[in-house]
Amino acid sequence: ANHRCASHIAVPPASEFNIAMASSEVTADTQGKEEAIETGNWLLDNLLRPGSSTSKGTLSFLNKVFYLLFASILFLMWMTDFGNIHTYVFIFLALGLYFSVRFFVAELKKAQAEGKLGGDADEEERKREQEQEEMSRKLEQEEEKRRREQVAAMETRKDR
């Protein structure tokens, strides 16, 4: 007996489905998605890593994406016989985005070369790291001192 939904499409009852087959398909689908997610995480980790915005690989990837964008907009312009105003607006916006990104990357590289990047926040972080290193050294020295005292105490007990 088929059930009808609001759109009048015949839907078979749930008892006719093979649950085992469905669950194995879901498992296979989720494994593929997990692998895709791991790949996506790798890509995001590399793109969001500090300093990656000026690396050659990232800039090359970004340029290729922009070229594909330009090609698709030009294709749309050709398909509409260059008569649709929207495609002209899209190409204008894409060119503006492209040149603003190029300008930003050039300015970022110039600032990195001049050493202007890194201001007070980096200095404060370095100070915190130094303080943490000093604290960990002091703790290690205290632990070493306790160990020596324990070893000395054990040796004096043995001598008695």
Side-chain angles (χ1 to χ4, degrees):
N2 289 338
H3 302 282
R4 295 202 176 254
C5 36
S7 62
H8 305 289
I9 298 173
V11 178
S15 61
E16 293 180 15
F17 289 111
N18 186 345
I19 304 287
M21 179 178 252
S23 66
S24 66
E25 289 173 1
V26 169
T27 306
D29 285 346
T30 56
Q31 288 173 350
K33 287 178 184 177
E34 288 173 1
E35 291 172 5
I37 289 171
E38 290 174 9
T39 304
N41 287 342
W42 172 83
L43 180 64
L44 280 177
D45 289 343
N46 284 334
L47 288 177
L48 298 177
R49 186 182 68 241
S52 68
S53 60
T54 56
S55 70
K56 290 182 181 180
T58 304
L59 293 177
S60 173
F61 176 74
L62 189 60
N63 283 334
K64 289 175 185 172
V65 168
F66 273 116
Y67 298 150
L68 288 172
L69 175 65
F70 297 142
S72 64
I73 294 173
L74 289 173
F75 176 74
L76 285 173
M77 291 175 92
W78 177 71
M79 289 297 291
T80 60
D81 293 327
F82 298 94
N84 191 340
I85 185 105
H86 297 93
T87 56
Y88 290 102
V89 172
F90 286 150
I91 199 80
F92 175 75
L93 291 172
L95 286 169
L97 178 63
Y98 175 73
F99 286 116
S100 64
V101 167
R102 299 283 293 191
F103 173 76
F104 176 76
V105 169
E107 290 296 314
L108 183 62
K109 285 183 178 181
K110 187 171 35 169
Q112 285 175 341
E114 294 174 358
K116 289 184 178 178
L117 291 181
D120 297 333
D122 287 343
E123 290 176 22
E124 290 177 10
E125 188 173 336
R126 278 189 223 119
K127 286 179 184 177
R128 273 189 253 124
E129 287 176 1
Q130 288 176 350
E131 290 173 359
Q132 288 177 351
E133 288 175 6
E134 288 177 24
M135 291 293 286
S136 62
R137 273 190 240 125
K138 287 179 182 178
L139 289 173
E140 288 175 5
Q141 289 173 353
E142 289 176 10
E143 284 183 37
E144 187 63 32
K145 184 178 177 182
R146 284 188 208 133
R147 286 185 204 142
R148 288 180 187 165
E149 289 174 357
Q150 288 175 351
V151 168
M154 292 175 88
E155 288 177 0
T156 54
R157 288 181 193 157
K158 288 182 183 178
D159 291 339
R160 291 185 187 170

